[in-house]
Amino acid sequence: MVNYDTDTQTDLEPKILELKKELNGVILAHYYQESEIQDLADFVGDSLELSRRAKNTSAEVIIFAGVQFMAETAKILNPKKLVLLPDLDAGCSLSDSCPAPLFKAFREKHPDHIAITYINCSAEVKALSDIICTSSNAEKIINQIPKEQPILFSPDRNLGRYLIKKTGRDMLLWNGSCIVHETFSERKIIELQIQYPDSKLIAHPECEDQILKRADFIGSTSKLLNFVQEDSALSYIVATESGILHQMKRFVPDKTYIAAPPEKSCNCNECPYMKLNTLEKLYLCMKNKEPEIKLEPDLINRALKPIEKMLSMS
Ligand code: 13P
Ligand code: SF4
């Protein structure tokens, strides 16, 4: 019997690599992408690392295997380059929870506050912010803001609460969240901890407080990946999108990684937006040079400032 999927994939990989050469392109992928896409990418990283790579690339075309806000950031940093996203519908629930007109009103209500905004937001919201941050550099950036300066932190309330605890700063929070990081079941995680008493719980700061309270280590995707490489434990319960397990297994194959489970029997610990990108769509977007990220020059100019501020502060 012919395995259609496998045949398609093995056919596509060399074609994608050939197209990349023709386009003088670079494939950037986030850790939450399907493993086949991660394996083909020139660079796999977290939001901060991907922004840095996008800024410094000499390639003419950036093929972004991630979600819209990440590809938009790459475009803002490289307005003259063609930036392709395999599926334009790859959005983000967190970004959607913060529409620009409401965010503008929030800012206007608190004119004395500086706005530090998580990179998981639209280009319009970036343009309305003072400084962008990621989960890798948020603490470092907040610690550089003078103590007397009040702060608005948007859009993730879980990351915001975590940062308030870490920095001791009393920030005003936007009430947004990520559908994936709010899916983890505390009850099932405790069951796993009883079943695997030597395992460590490691969590992304977008998780809810009851999960973070139980975590042995909290960090961005790349910090979680570094932790399992440096730490002495042999097994981990991983509370973030399950795509990261691919790199954990690649870097430290002899350890055990258990994806933190959702309460329901579903694949809710997979980001439905990230997973819209497939190898087939990656191939087609490179072949057709679309879908392309398009942003107005004025929006690019306004959104660039808070992103550059982030890069200079991190
Ligand atoms: P990282 O920057 O930690 O990779 O997070 C990106 C993200 O979307 C988390 O949900
Ligand atoms: Fe957005 Fe959550 Fe998906 Fe990250 S995991 S891209 S925050 S919906």
Side-chain angles (χ1 to χ4, degrees):
M1 197 175 90
V2 178
N3 182 331
Y4 176 76
D5 279 338
T6 312
D7 280 2
T8 315
Q9 273 173 23
T10 42
D11 283 341
L12 283 182
E13 285 173 14
K15 286 184 185 162
I16 289 172
L17 295 177
E18 194 50 46
L19 277 172
K20 192 180 74 170
K21 229 189 271 168
E22 276 171 31
L23 290 170
N24 183 16
V26 64
I27 303 178
L28 303 180
H30 188 264
Y31 291 123
Y32 297 164
Q33 290 294 288
E34 286 186 1
S35 42
E36 310 85 69
I37 295 182
Q38 293 190 34
D39 291 344
L40 265 182
D42 294 292
F43 181 75
V44 187
D46 73 3
S47 308
L48 179 61
E49 294 160 343
L50 289 167
S51 310
R52 285 196 179 123
R53 287 282 165 150
K55 183 178 160 73
N56 298 327
T57 187
S58 57
E60 281 167 49
V61 179
I62 299 173
I63 304 109
F64 211 112
V67 288
Q68 225 177 69
F69 75 82
M70 296 177 174
E72 281 184 354
T73 305
K75 182 71 184 176
I76 292 163
L77 288 164
N78 290 283
K80 295 210 169 79
K81 288 187 181 169
L82 176 66
V83 178
L84 302 171
L85 179 65
D87 190 323
L88 264 194
D89 286 334
C92 167
S93 65
L94 189 46
S95 176
D96 291 348
S97 69
C98 190
L102 296 184
F103 181 71
K104 188 167 181 278
F106 183 53
R107 285 225 64 178
E108 282 165 2
K109 206 170 157 201
H110 306 283
D112 55 333
H113 285 57
I114 190 171
I116 302 183
T117 308
Y118 193 34
I119 198 162
N120 298 37
C121 65
S122 65
E124 287 85 357
V125 168
K126 285 185 177 72
L128 291 165
S129 304
D130 295 306
I131 312 171
I132 298 305
C133 70
T134 74
S135 48
S136 275
N137 60 19
E139 192 180 336
K140 189 170 178 188
I141 288 175
I142 291 167
N143 284 334
Q144 291 173 61
I145 307 297
K147 289 265 179 298
E148 62 285 359
Q149 171 63 61
I151 301 173
L152 299 180
F153 186 85
S154 311
D156 191 73
R157 61 173 178 238
N158 296 314
L159 175 63
R161 282 189 201 124
Y162 167 74
L163 290 166
I164 288 173
K165 279 194 196 156
K166 286 290 277 185
T167 62
R169 297 297 291 264
D170 184 21
M171 305 189 292
L172 264 183
L173 303 182
W174 185 270
N175 192 21
S177 64
C178 157
I179 48 167
V180 179
H181 288 85
E182 288 203 332
T183 199
F184 301 118
S185 161
E186 187 189 16
R187 182 181 67 82
K188 288 191 180 172
I189 287 175
I190 295 170
E191 279 174 14
L192 283 170
Q193 286 176 313
I194 293 169
Q195 199 181 341
Y196 301 95
D198 296 330
S199 66
K200 284 187 179 168
L201 172 65
I202 58 174
H204 194 281
E206 284 177 27
C207 292
E208 290 174 306
D209 194 43
Q210 73 270 19
I211 306 295
L212 296 182
K213 269 189 192 142
R214 297 190 173 277
D216 297 289
F217 180 76
I218 299 167
S220 64
T221 48
S222 53
K223 287 188 180 167
L224 297 178
L225 185 58
N226 288 342
F227 183 75
V228 301
Q229 292 174 71
E230 285 160 12
D231 182 59
S232 60
L234 294 176
S235 84
Y236 300 93
I237 302 162
V238 184
T240 191
E241 212 270 0
S242 53
I244 187 75
L245 268 64
H246 180 62
Q247 295 296 329
M248 290 178 173
K249 288 176 190 161
R250 194 164 83 85
F251 280 102
V252 199
D254 48 346
K255 293 191 178 188
T256 304
Y257 308 100
I258 305 157
E263 186 55 45
K264 293 181 254 164
S265 310
C266 59
N267 291 338
C268 313
N269 56 2
E270 286 189 12
C271 174
Y273 307 100
M274 287 277 181
K275 280 0 189 220
L276 280 178
N277 295 328
T278 61
L279 213 55
E280 288 76 10
K281 288 181 195 168
L282 179 65
Y283 166 71
L284 286 177
C285 90
M286 292 171 75
K287 186 167 167 257
N288 301 328
K289 297 195 198 166
E290 60 171 21
E292 176 192 352
I293 298 288
K294 288 183 184 162
L295 297 171
E296 290 300 320
D298 170 61
L299 178 58
I300 290 182
N301 285 338
R302 287 183 295 120
L304 180 62
K305 284 181 202 135
I307 297 173
E308 282 190 325
K309 187 99 180 136
M310 164 183 87
L311 293 172
S312 71
M313 290 174 85
S314 52

